[in-house]
Amino acid sequence: MSRTPPRRAPAPAGALAPQAPLSKDSRLAGEIKHLVAAGERDAARERYGELVANQQRRAVRIAYQYLRDAHDADEAVQDAFVKVFTHIISYREDLPFEVWFTRILVNACLDLRKSRSRRLRWAVPMSATSEVAPAEPTAPDPSPEQRLVSKERAAEITTAVDALPDRQRTVFTLCHVAEQTTAEVSQALGLSEATVRVHLFRAVRKLRRVLDRT
Amino acid sequence: MKCHMRANHLSEDRLIELCMLDTASSAEQQHLSTCTRCDARRARVQRLLADVSDSATADADAAFPLERLNRQQARILARLQHEGRPARVIAFPAGHAPHEPIPARTRPASRWIAAAAVGGLVVGVIAGRFGHDYTFQRAGISRVIASRGVEQPELRAPVTTTAIREVTATISDDEFLDQLETAIDAPAAAALQPLDDLTPLAWEVR
């Protein structure tokens, strides 16, 4: 039933990500770093296209979960990928690329949320203007998996996740939607692993309280 | 071994851990296989997490279909292509050939002229203000002395600076205007009459 890819084998508590063998994308990021260092920027860009393709889907899921707006999520993901390439020289090859990238992406989302709230503060209410908001891109026909989850249930879940405090939502999104281990999330967010676990448990308990009632 | 059982049942946090992060120990596995209550609780947590995950990914995937992802990727790579390159300079005015050397915005000569003009302006303002105050004070004093001198001959004697200051300080507006009228009526002012005729009056200038 689940459309999510099979979960990674759970990492033992306390295990740090760098001890695990590095992923294919981490090796690819290392290669790109060396190409940039050697001044072969065109070749590096070409290779970077592959990395973008590999990480893109996961990135938009995280950003969309965070921002709940397709345009903002698009912008945040683009900014994050551009930032990663421009700072690829500072990538530490002994660390998983996903963790580094997630950190940059989360920061990009936070920046966008800040600017969005600033924008909303100064925005003229829609009723005062005759302009019509640009239409969101329409989704293609729903997949069979989508049909399984009823619209109402999906709306309830979205509301419940959105109602979580920021930290809990971030940790939950990274652990559950982005499928990162608590060790990776703790590295990405700069929190201790115990704190990550506490936020995660609280988030799930809260979701259970809300969603089990409905 | 850390105890995760409460009253012979698995705690809620442990159930969450088992569903998200950890694998069950053999004792826990054995318990779950025999305790229908704990097994049902675990199934509920698993279902909830699967629902949330499905909902999140479905929302994001609907908002980002494959074409949009391709467009996004193309935009990222296009942005990277321009990264690190100097910005394109648009020729202005339009007829200007881009290879023509653009004249420097400021030349040394024009800079000197500007500095001299500013200097002159500053000196002029200071001198004007100082000169005005000085002549006004002198005229005021001399007029006071002159008019009083007519009525009080003792004032014709040499006057100390302190005395002058006292005279000018105590003069009222009415007195000053009286003295001004007296001075205008004096024969010396007649010479200035043609100049006065040429000068527009303040209330005529709007």
Side-chain angles (χ1 to χ4, degrees):
Chain A
M1 174 201 152
S2 175
R3 57 181 284 110
T4 50
R7 291 198 176 279
R8 287 185 292 183
L16 278 177
Q19 288 164 355
L22 289 178
S23 65
K24 191 181 126 215
D25 285 347
S26 299
R27 287 196 301 274
L28 185 53
E31 248 178 72
I32 294 164
K33 178 184 170 175
H34 291 300
L35 285 171
V36 171
E40 294 174 45
R41 289 189 84 84
D42 288 338
R45 253 196 308 272
E46 224 168 89
R47 299 289 282 147
Y48 192 64
E50 274 177 54
L51 195 58
V52 171
N54 294 345
Q55 291 287 325
Q56 202 179 1
R57 176 68 74 187
R58 183 178 150 269
V60 292
R61 280 177 183 170
I62 295 172
Y64 190 75
Q65 183 74 8
Y66 236 113
L67 300 163
R68 290 276 171 215
D69 179 276
H71 296 287
D72 282 354
D74 193 354
E75 202 181 321
V77 169
Q78 281 190 43
D79 289 350
F81 275 119
V82 170
K83 205 174 269 181
V84 162
F85 187 79
T86 50
H87 293 90
I88 195 80
I89 288 290
S90 59
Y91 168 60
R92 275 179 54 187
E93 289 164 73
D94 55 327
L95 294 175
F97 171 77
E98 293 82 358
V99 173
W100 188 59
F101 174 67
T102 305
R103 192 172 190 144
I104 291 171
L105 179 64
V106 168
N107 285 336
C109 291
L110 289 175
D111 287 347
L112 239 131
R113 266 177 68 176
K114 246 186 258 166
S115 70
R116 183 167 65 177
S117 62
R118 224 177 289 134
R119 233 166 37 215
L120 288 175
R121 212 181 306 139
W122 295 103
V124 179
M126 282 306 286
S127 56
T129 62
S130 56
E131 281 174 34
V132 180
E136 282 285 311
T138 48
D141 292 334
S143 59
E145 288 92 347
Q146 274 175 282
R147 271 183 241 126
L148 288 172
V149 180
S150 74
K151 273 188 181 174
E152 284 139 35
R153 181 69 175 160
E156 282 165 9
I157 290 169
T158 304
T159 313
V161 174
D162 285 351
L164 290 174
D166 272 357
R167 221 359 107 68
Q168 288 176 24
R169 185 149 67 103
T170 307
V171 169
F172 179 77
T173 302
L174 294 182
C175 283
H176 194 60
V177 180
E179 298 182 347
Q180 294 201 301
T181 63
T182 48
E184 286 169 343
V185 175
S186 83
Q187 280 185 328
L189 299 182
L191 300 170
S192 73
E193 207 180 332
T195 310
V196 168
R197 289 171 93 89
V198 167
H199 284 308
L200 184 63
F201 292 152
R202 283 186 187 159
V204 177
R205 277 203 296 259
K206 237 173 240 174
L207 289 176
R208 277 194 69 185
R209 265 203 306 277
V210 174
L211 294 173
D212 278 355
R213 263 205 314 256
T214 55
Chain B
M1 190 190 115
K2 206 165 135 189
C3 182
H4 299 292
M5 315 274 272
R6 271 191 203 158
N8 296 326
H9 292 291
L10 286 162
S11 69
E12 194 176 0
D13 281 357
R14 184 61 192 155
L15 282 175
I16 296 169
E17 256 181 334
L18 291 180
C19 294
M20 295 185 85
L21 313 166
D22 219 344
T23 43
S25 65
S26 53
E28 285 167 338
Q29 269 172 351
Q30 200 180 354
H31 174 76
L32 284 167
S33 60
T34 53
C35 177
T36 50
R37 196 178 148 197
C38 282
D39 195 39
R41 282 168 63 219
R42 183 177 66 163
R44 267 212 308 277
V45 173
Q46 265 173 342
R47 204 169 43 243
L48 171 93
L49 290 172
D51 278 0
V52 174
S53 180
D54 288 351
S55 168
T57 50
D59 280 353
D61 294 353
F64 286 89
L66 196 62
E67 312 88 72
R68 190 169 186 168
L69 286 179
N70 291 339
R71 272 205 310 275
Q72 185 186 58
Q73 192 183 351
R75 247 178 266 142
I76 291 165
L77 295 177
R79 277 174 71 178
L80 291 179
Q81 210 138 33
H82 296 297
E83 183 262 328
R85 288 190 186 168
R88 191 163 64 97
V89 178
I90 299 168
F92 183 82
H96 231 268
H99 61 269
E100 272 178 39
I102 298 164
R105 223 180 290 165
T106 52
R107 277 178 290 183
S110 59
R111 253 183 275 155
W112 274 112
I113 291 166
V118 170
L121 183 68
V122 170
V123 168
V125 167
I126 292 169
R129 179 148 189 103
F130 177 74
H132 174 76
D133 288 352
Y134 181 72
T135 51
F136 178 76
Q137 274 178 8
R138 295 289 295 183
I141 291 161
S142 60
R143 267 187 229 116
V144 170
I145 293 166
S147 63
R148 294 258 167 110
V150 175
E151 296 153 16
Q152 300 166 315
E154 68 275 13
L155 276 179
R156 283 184 195 157
V159 190
T160 62
T161 325
T162 332
I164 292 169
R165 250 190 236 123
E166 272 172 17
V167 170
T168 48
T170 53
I171 188 169
S172 72
D173 287 353
D174 286 338
E175 278 174 329
F176 172 69
L177 289 172
D178 284 346
Q179 288 160 13
L180 205 61
E181 278 166 14
T182 313
I184 290 167
D185 291 342
L192 297 170
Q193 199 57 47
L195 196 63
D196 184 49
D197 292 338
L198 287 172
T199 313
L201 299 170
W203 52 86
E204 287 173 354
V205 181
R206 292 273 163 183

mmCIF file of all heavy atoms in Angstrom, chain B residues 130-147:
data_model
loop_
_atom_site.group_PDB
_atom_site.id
_atom_site.type_symbol
_atom_site.label_atom_id
_atom_site.label_comp_id
_atom_site.label_asym_id
_atom_site.label_seq_id
_atom_site.Cartn_x
_atom_site.Cartn_y
_atom_site.Cartn_z
ATOM 1 N N PHE B 130 29.255 86.925 8.184
ATOM 2 C CA PHE B 130 30.093 87.680 9.116
ATOM 3 C C PHE B 130 29.986 89.181 8.795
ATOM 4 O O PHE B 130 29.781 90.004 9.671
ATOM 5 C CB PHE B 130 31.538 87.184 8.995
ATOM 6 C CG PHE B 130 32.496 87.957 9.862
ATOM 7 C CD1 PHE B 130 32.495 87.754 11.246
ATOM 8 C CD2 PHE B 130 33.364 88.886 9.320
ATOM 9 C CE1 PHE B 130 33.367 88.455 12.038
ATOM 10 C CE2 PHE B 130 34.233 89.596 10.127
ATOM 11 C CZ PHE B 130 34.238 89.386 11.488
ATOM 12 N N GLY B 131 30.091 89.511 7.499
ATOM 13 C CA GLY B 131 30.045 90.915 7.061
ATOM 14 C C GLY B 131 28.732 91.562 7.437
ATOM 15 O O GLY B 131 28.680 92.690 7.926
ATOM 16 N N HIS B 132 27.646 90.798 7.255
ATOM 17 C CA HIS B 132 26.319 91.342 7.549
ATOM 18 C C HIS B 132 26.189 91.675 9.030
ATOM 19 O O HIS B 132 25.806 92.771 9.397
ATOM 20 C CB HIS B 132 25.275 90.302 7.142
ATOM 21 C CG HIS B 132 23.884 90.692 7.533
ATOM 22 N ND1 HIS B 132 23.186 91.638 6.835
ATOM 23 C CD2 HIS B 132 23.110 90.279 8.555
ATOM 24 C CE1 HIS B 132 21.996 91.793 7.418
ATOM 25 N NE2 HIS B 132 21.930 90.970 8.455
ATOM 26 N N ASP B 133 26.590 90.707 9.871
ATOM 27 C CA ASP B 133 26.503 90.926 11.313
ATOM 28 C C ASP B 133 27.354 92.124 11.720
ATOM 29 O O ASP B 133 26.946 92.968 12.492
ATOM 30 C CB ASP B 133 27.005 89.679 12.072
ATOM 31 C CG ASP B 133 25.996 88.550 11.939
ATOM 32 O OD1 ASP B 133 24.899 88.809 11.410
ATOM 33 O OD2 ASP B 133 26.333 87.417 12.343
ATOM 34 N N TYR B 134 28.553 92.165 11.109
ATOM 35 C CA TYR B 134 29.501 93.193 11.504
ATOM 36 C C TYR B 134 28.953 94.570 11.133
ATOM 37 O O TYR B 134 28.869 95.460 11.965
ATOM 38 C CB TYR B 134 30.831 92.930 10.799
ATOM 39 C CG TYR B 134 31.908 93.919 11.140
ATOM 40 C CD1 TYR B 134 32.512 93.892 12.403
ATOM 41 C CD2 TYR B 134 32.302 94.898 10.235
ATOM 42 C CE1 TYR B 134 33.490 94.814 12.723
ATOM 43 C CE2 TYR B 134 33.262 95.814 10.545
ATOM 44 C CZ TYR B 134 33.870 95.764 11.796
ATOM 45 O OH TYR B 134 34.825 96.671 12.109
ATOM 46 N N THR B 135 28.516 94.737 9.883
ATOM 47 C CA THR B 135 28.049 96.052 9.437
ATOM 48 C C THR B 135 26.791 96.442 10.172
ATOM 49 O O THR B 135 26.600 97.602 10.510
ATOM 50 C CB THR B 135 27.766 96.054 7.921
ATOM 51 O OG1 THR B 135 26.935 94.949 7.644
ATOM 52 C CG2 THR B 135 29.033 95.985 7.114
ATOM 53 N N PHE B 136 25.929 95.451 10.423
ATOM 54 C CA PHE B 136 24.690 95.767 11.126
ATOM 55 C C PHE B 136 24.992 96.326 12.513
ATOM 56 O O PHE B 136 24.473 97.335 12.923
ATOM 57 C CB PHE B 136 23.825 94.508 11.233
ATOM 58 C CG PHE B 136 22.559 94.743 11.997
ATOM 59 C CD1 PHE B 136 21.504 95.412 11.407
ATOM 60 C CD2 PHE B 136 22.448 94.339 13.316
ATOM 61 C CE1 PHE B 136 20.345 95.653 12.129
ATOM 62 C CE2 PHE B 136 21.301 94.580 14.025
ATOM 63 C CZ PHE B 136 20.234 95.229 13.432
ATOM 64 N N GLN B 137 25.901 95.611 13.192
ATOM 65 C CA GLN B 137 26.238 96.045 14.549
ATOM 66 C C GLN B 137 26.843 97.444 14.533
ATOM 67 O O GLN B 137 26.463 98.305 15.296
ATOM 68 C CB GLN B 137 27.234 95.073 15.172
ATOM 69 C CG GLN B 137 26.508 93.907 15.831
ATOM 70 C CD GLN B 137 27.482 92.912 16.409
ATOM 71 O OE1 GLN B 137 28.682 93.181 16.446
ATOM 72 N NE2 GLN B 137 26.974 91.796 16.847
ATOM 73 N N ARG B 138 27.776 97.639 13.570
ATOM 74 C CA ARG B 138 28.457 98.949 13.504
ATOM 75 C C ARG B 138 27.437 100.049 13.215
ATOM 76 O O ARG B 138 27.428 101.077 13.873
ATOM 77 C CB ARG B 138 29.508 98.940 12.390
ATOM 78 C CG ARG B 138 30.660 97.985 12.615
ATOM 79 C CD ARG B 138 31.577 98.415 13.683
ATOM 80 N NE ARG B 138 32.256 99.650 13.336
ATOM 81 C CZ ARG B 138 33.169 100.211 14.117
ATOM 82 N NH1 ARG B 138 33.462 99.655 15.272
ATOM 83 N NH2 ARG B 138 33.759 101.318 13.760
ATOM 84 N N ALA B 139 26.576 99.785 12.253
ATOM 85 C CA ALA B 139 25.585 100.804 11.875
ATOM 86 C C ALA B 139 24.677 101.111 13.043
ATOM 87 O O ALA B 139 24.387 102.273 13.340
ATOM 88 C CB ALA B 139 24.785 100.312 10.683
ATOM 89 N N GLY B 140 24.244 100.045 13.732
ATOM 90 C CA GLY B 140 23.353 100.211 14.878
ATOM 91 C C GLY B 140 23.999 101.088 15.937
ATOM 92 O O GLY B 140 23.398 102.051 16.421
ATOM 93 N N ILE B 141 25.229 100.784 16.208
ATOM 94 C CA ILE B 141 25.933 101.514 17.264
ATOM 95 C C ILE B 141 26.085 102.989 16.872
ATOM 96 O O ILE B 141 25.762 103.878 17.644
ATOM 97 C CB ILE B 141 27.315 100.889 17.521
ATOM 98 C CG1 ILE B 141 27.125 99.510 18.158
ATOM 99 C CG2 ILE B 141 28.156 101.761 18.426
ATOM 100 C CD1 ILE B 141 28.338 98.639 18.041
ATOM 101 N N SER B 142 26.537 103.169 15.639
ATOM 102 C CA SER B 142 26.814 104.556 15.239
ATOM 103 C C SER B 142 25.525 105.371 15.212
ATOM 104 O O SER B 142 25.510 106.514 15.615
ATOM 105 C CB SER B 142 27.512 104.604 13.891
ATOM 106 O OG SER B 142 26.686 103.999 12.943
ATOM 107 N N ARG B 143 24.433 104.695 14.750
ATOM 108 C CA ARG B 143 23.167 105.414 14.703
ATOM 109 C C ARG B 143 22.692 105.766 16.107
ATOM 110 O O ARG B 143 22.221 106.865 16.359
ATOM 111 C CB ARG B 143 22.125 104.553 14.009
ATOM 112 C CG ARG B 143 22.058 104.847 12.540
ATOM 113 C CD ARG B 143 20.901 104.112 11.936
ATOM 114 N NE ARG B 143 21.352 103.404 10.745
ATOM 115 C CZ ARG B 143 21.350 102.110 10.601
ATOM 116 N NH1 ARG B 143 20.950 101.330 11.574
ATOM 117 N NH2 ARG B 143 21.764 101.565 9.484
ATOM 118 N N VAL B 144 22.821 104.832 16.989
ATOM 119 C CA VAL B 144 22.406 105.076 18.371
ATOM 120 C C VAL B 144 23.171 106.261 18.927
ATOM 121 O O VAL B 144 22.598 107.198 19.483
ATOM 122 C CB VAL B 144 22.648 103.830 19.237
ATOM 123 C CG1 VAL B 144 22.467 104.144 20.697
ATOM 124 C CG2 VAL B 144 21.700 102.730 18.819
ATOM 125 N N ILE B 145 24.461 106.184 18.694
ATOM 126 C CA ILE B 145 25.309 107.251 19.245
ATOM 127 C C ILE B 145 24.964 108.582 18.586
ATOM 128 O O ILE B 145 24.824 109.602 19.254
ATOM 129 C CB ILE B 145 26.786 106.894 19.082
ATOM 130 C CG1 ILE B 145 27.090 105.699 19.973
ATOM 131 C CG2 ILE B 145 27.681 108.061 19.460
ATOM 132 C CD1 ILE B 145 28.395 105.042 19.679
ATOM 133 N N ALA B 146 24.755 108.509 17.246
ATOM 134 C CA ALA B 146 24.471 109.745 16.524
ATOM 135 C C ALA B 146 23.180 110.390 17.019
ATOM 136 O O ALA B 146 23.141 111.578 17.317
ATOM 137 C CB ALA B 146 24.373 109.448 15.037
ATOM 138 N N SER B 147 22.120 109.573 17.152
ATOM 139 C CA SER B 147 20.838 110.150 17.555
ATOM 140 C C SER B 147 20.857 110.643 18.993
ATOM 141 O O SER B 147 20.315 111.685 19.309
ATOM 142 C CB SER B 147 19.731 109.123 17.355
ATOM 143 O OG SER B 147 19.983 108.037 18.189
#
